[in-house]
Amino acid sequence: MCLEIEFYSYTAFCYLVTIMGLMVPWSLTLAVVDGYSVFVRYLPPQARVTAIIVAGDWVLSFLALAASCSTASVADVLLKVGVPYCSAKLCSRYRLSAAMAFLSWFLSLVSALFNLWLLPSL
């Protein structure tokens, strides 16, 4: 989606790219920390760090939901308006990016719920 020049003229698409640009490093950092704790087999449980992770997951989850909903609605409107604003190929790419954003939101929500369930045990 970032490769198309036309996406800069729609705020919802810029918002989606920004939120996913925040979500990717966050998720990669959590994956590295989880991988480290699995291979080293010792990572002392810290309630403060887990609370920060839970808060970050919840914030990014809600931002991803907002971004995916706005992208889906704008892509649907552009598809109904017709060719002058968005070609069929371009609009289908926007719809695919909205679907992937919904998938990303769902997985982020699952992670946030799991971390919230883990927090009281520390």
Side-chain angles (χ1 to χ4, degrees):
M1 188 169 130
C2 294
L3 299 176
E4 296 294 330
I5 296 173
E6 296 176 15
F7 101 93
Y8 288 111
S9 56
Y10 301 106
T11 307
F13 300 142
C14 292
Y15 180 59
L16 177 68
V17 169
T18 303
I19 295 303
M20 291 303 136
L22 291 172
M23 196 169 231
V24 167
W26 176 263
S27 299
L28 287 176
T29 303
L30 290 180
V32 167
V33 169
D34 288 343
Y36 176 77
S37 67
V38 166
F39 288 122
V40 173
R41 296 177 194 250
Y42 179 74
L43 191 63
Q46 299 173 354
R48 184 175 292 170
V49 173
T50 307
I52 291 170
I53 290 172
V54 168
D57 271 348
W58 277 101
V59 166
L60 281 176
S61 177
F62 283 118
L63 289 174
L65 175 63
S68 58
C69 287
S70 65
T71 301
S73 64
V74 169
D76 192 41
V77 166
L78 287 176
L79 203 77
K80 287 184 181 179
V81 167
V83 177
Y85 291 103
C86 182
S87 66
K89 182 180 177 184
L90 188 60
C91 279
S92 65
R93 286 183 184 176
Y94 290 161
R95 291 176 72 188
L96 180 64
S97 66
M100 292 296 174
F102 273 114
L103 178 66
S104 174
W105 163 73
F106 178 72
L107 294 175
S108 175
L109 182 67
V110 169
S111 172
L113 289 174
F114 180 73
N115 286 329
L116 189 64
W117 172 72
L118 182 69
L119 187 62
S121 68
L122 298 178

